[in-house]
Amino acid sequence: MTPRHGVSRTIRTQVAIVGAGPAGLTLACLLAGAGIESVVLENRSRAYVEERIRAGVLEQGTVEVLDAAGVGERLHREGIVHHGIYLQFAGERHRIPLSELADGRNIVIYGQTEVVKDLIQARLDAGLALRFEVDGVRVHEIETDRPRVTFAHQGERFELECDVIAGTDGFHGVCRPAIEEHLRVFSRDYPFAWLGILAAAPPSSDELVYAHHERGFALLSLRSLDRSRLYLQCAADERLDAWPDARIWDELQRRVALEGWTLVEGAVLEKGIAPMRSFVSEPMAHGRLFLAGDSAHIVPPTGAKGLNLAIADVSVLAEALVDWYRTGSDAGLAEYSATCLRRVWRAEQFSYWMTSMLHRPGDDPFEDQLQLSQLRYIVSSEAAARTLAENYVGLPLDHSRAQASVVRGA
Ligand SMILES: Cc1cc2nc3c(=O)[nH]c(=O)nc-3n(C[C@H](O)[C@H](O)[C@H](O)COP(=O)(O)OP(=O)(O)OC[C@H]3O[C@@H](n4cnc5c(N)ncnc54)[C@H](O)[C@@H]3O)c2cc1C
């Protein structure tokens, strides 16, 4: 192959994957399992990607996809299975028995950092292409059947020729902007953010606690048996240096206080402020470029859906690509965006609903009473609790297709 002007080397693969987050890495593993070649390009270092603290609640369907990708072994050994969550409001804590209400389905606590480490290790152990610290990634000719990705790596300029590009480069990546003119965007910003800490402390509660409080929302979560992950609602423009550790603990203690129960404190290992945003761009594909995960949609983290949606997207994409390579049928690829978006919008609605029910929107006593009424309803009506449970554990991965066929059959 003769390299084009300015390019020192041309590489050929079947699927070019931009971004080594959970979406890109899982896609690469699923494709490798089906004998489809890919090259993964990541602009950060391996250490950075592996240490980036983010999500930690895996739906059962996500665990099943990670099993299928061949990276479930450590997850099953170290992941902590939860069958319920707590809602706390008006000074009382109520358990929502997720598994009882959602056909025995559960959630698994296993940090996104660990998912990413397992996926990277599997990729490298198999000797497959994964390049960290690439620069200047650009996608080209996506409306043709010979799309290309150009990038720089270790001082050389490369061109990656492929059949398909997967844009799994997150919200701030380059793939979605490359097709911006073909997209319709829906978004909502919230007037608050989450201040999150990772603490060297055993979890104080056996299951996650979502606390509604007059001072603002708080969440008690965990990453392992000796690491707590705790969040506080704060202002959208809050500055981290206004929150020394002592102030964070003091605020957490107030918002989750319960008679006869103690919040265990520990050294703060990491802290940060995450904005709250809902965002969907449609469609999730144009030409031979397929967006997946945060590059196409964002949810506020209240419903624990971001990582799970990313994995669901790539499981649909992998299935469609396998079908295309094996049979030549592009039906799955043609349906990819519509199939994913049905699930995406369900998660958007659920995340918005949980966020609106639990966060203090400002000084609005009317809203406050509506929230409390909704919370009381959930803990007193099995139907209402079931709605929360079904969505929280995640609808089965084939839900979108099942829903479509019910509608067609009607
Ligand atoms: C601070 C924070 C906290 C979060 N907390 C939670 C939570 O508690 N619960 C939850 O469910 N979700 C949470 N999320 C959301 C969840 O982490 C994401 O939904 C998930 O990471 C999506 O995976 P992804 O692979 O689509 O994108 P990402 O994880 O963003 O991965 C994209 C990858 O692409 C790389 N990349 C970007 N641009 C380029 C480029 N030009 N070239 C090459 N590579 C590129 C990035 O470095 C990154 O590695 C959080 C997100 C953030 C930002």
Side-chain angles (χ1 to χ4, degrees):
M1 256 177 266
T2 317
R4 274 170 245 253
H5 181 68
V7 169
S8 49
R9 263 210 286 154
T10 299
I11 313 167
R12 166 91 201 137
T13 192
Q14 290 177 295
V15 181
I17 301 178
V18 184
L25 291 165
T26 303
L27 178 64
C29 281
L30 290 170
L31 294 178
I36 298 170
E37 225 182 70
S38 64
V39 172
V40 185
L41 303 174
E42 165 61 48
N43 64 355
R44 301 289 196 151
S45 69
R46 178 179 180 182
Y48 181 90
V49 171
E50 289 189 343
E51 296 308 324
R52 195 166 35 193
I53 310 265
R54 287 183 168 183
V57 175
L58 307 186
E59 295 174 1
Q60 197 167 313
T62 298
V63 173
E64 286 159 12
V65 175
L66 293 172
D67 278 337
V71 293
E73 197 264 330
R74 190 164 72 98
L75 189 168
H76 286 288
R77 196 160 21 94
E78 295 179 16
I80 305 166
V81 177
H82 279 190
H83 297 283
I85 56 168
Y86 294 100
L87 290 181
Q88 179 168 333
F89 58 95
E92 289 182 1
R93 196 172 284 178
H94 305 260
R95 182 167 188 267
I96 307 295
L98 298 174
S99 301
E100 248 174 65
L101 294 164
D103 287 337
R105 295 174 80 76
N106 57 44
I107 51 168
V108 177
I109 307 300
Y110 191 67
Q112 181 169 330
T113 45
E114 307 314 298
V115 172
V116 166
K117 280 179 201 157
D118 294 344
L119 287 161
I120 290 175
Q121 198 57 54
R123 183 86 185 157
L124 297 179
D125 285 349
L128 297 172
L130 166 54
R131 292 174 186 242
F132 291 102
E133 299 180 71
V134 301
D135 242 340
V137 173
R138 292 283 173 274
V139 297
H140 311 271
E141 292 168 50
I142 54 168
E143 289 174 350
T144 72
D145 58 3
R146 302 292 275 184
R148 293 180 297 121
V149 181
T150 51
F151 63 97
H153 191 218
Q154 295 174 340
E156 264 190 284
R157 274 219 68 80
F158 291 86
E159 173 181 67
L160 183 56
E161 284 192 354
C162 55
D163 301 324
V164 162
I165 301 171
T168 53
D169 49 348
F171 187 67
H172 300 289
V174 294
C175 289
R176 189 185 67 252
I179 54 170
E180 215 151 38
E181 64 193 295
H182 305 286
L183 302 178
R184 181 167 180 207
V185 166
F186 303 83
S187 70
R188 167 92 21 124
D189 289 324
Y190 298 84
F192 39 76
W194 275 15
L195 169 59
I197 60 166
L198 182 71
S204 305
S205 163
D206 57 342
E207 292 172 329
L208 274 66
V209 179
Y210 286 79
H212 175 277
H213 192 273
E214 61 190 16
R215 297 177 68 87
F217 170 71
L219 170 60
L220 304 184
S221 183
L222 68 155
R223 286 295 176 268
S224 65
L225 293 175
D226 57 7
R227 291 285 182 272
S228 292
R229 180 80 170 141
L230 310 152
Y231 298 97
L232 286 171
Q233 175 186 347
C234 62
D237 57 357
E238 197 75 58
R239 284 181 26 244
L240 201 54
D241 57 15
W243 287 87
D245 297 355
R247 182 178 173 206
I248 295 174
W249 285 115
D250 181 55
E251 195 59 34
L252 280 165
Q253 294 285 5
R254 289 170 185 237
R255 296 191 194 180
V256 298
L258 195 68
E259 230 180 280
W261 172 90
T262 320
L263 174 65
V264 181
E265 299 187 10
V268 174
L269 305 174
E270 195 263 356
K271 62 179 159 181
I273 292 178
M276 306 280 275
R277 181 185 290 128
S278 298
F279 175 93
V280 181
S281 71
E282 293 191 10
M284 285 172 57
H286 180 73
R288 289 283 180 94
L289 173 62
F290 294 83
L291 303 178
D294 277 18
S295 73
H297 42 72
I298 297 283
V299 282
T302 328
K305 289 284 164 263
L307 170 61
N308 293 297
L309 276 182
I311 302 291
D313 286 352
V314 294
S315 100
V316 175
L317 184 55
E319 201 181 305
L321 285 168
V322 170
D323 195 39
W324 185 52
Y325 279 114
R326 288 204 178 139
T327 70
S329 162
D330 67 356
L333 289 176
E335 278 296 304
Y336 166 73
S337 174
T339 302
C340 290
L341 283 168
R342 280 190 283 272
R343 185 181 187 81
V344 167
W345 277 111
R346 178 89 300 283
E348 289 287 345
Q349 191 280 332
F350 176 66
S351 304
Y352 172 82
W353 177 69
M354 287 283 281
T355 303
S356 312
M357 176 171 72
L358 289 162
H359 291 74
R360 202 170 168 77
D363 227 358
D364 184 350
F366 183 77
E367 184 67 29
D368 207 38
Q369 291 306 318
L370 293 183
Q371 292 178 335
L372 288 168
S373 168
Q374 181 66 44
L375 286 161
R376 279 194 297 270
Y377 181 47
I378 291 171
V379 302
S380 58
S381 153
E382 189 179 308
R386 193 182 299 280
T387 294
L388 188 154
E390 257 184 18
N391 283 277
Y392 195 89
V393 301
L395 294 157
L397 275 183
D398 57 2
H399 166 77
S400 309
R401 293 190 193 96
Q403 189 188 40
S405 58
V406 167
V407 173
R408 270 198 298 273

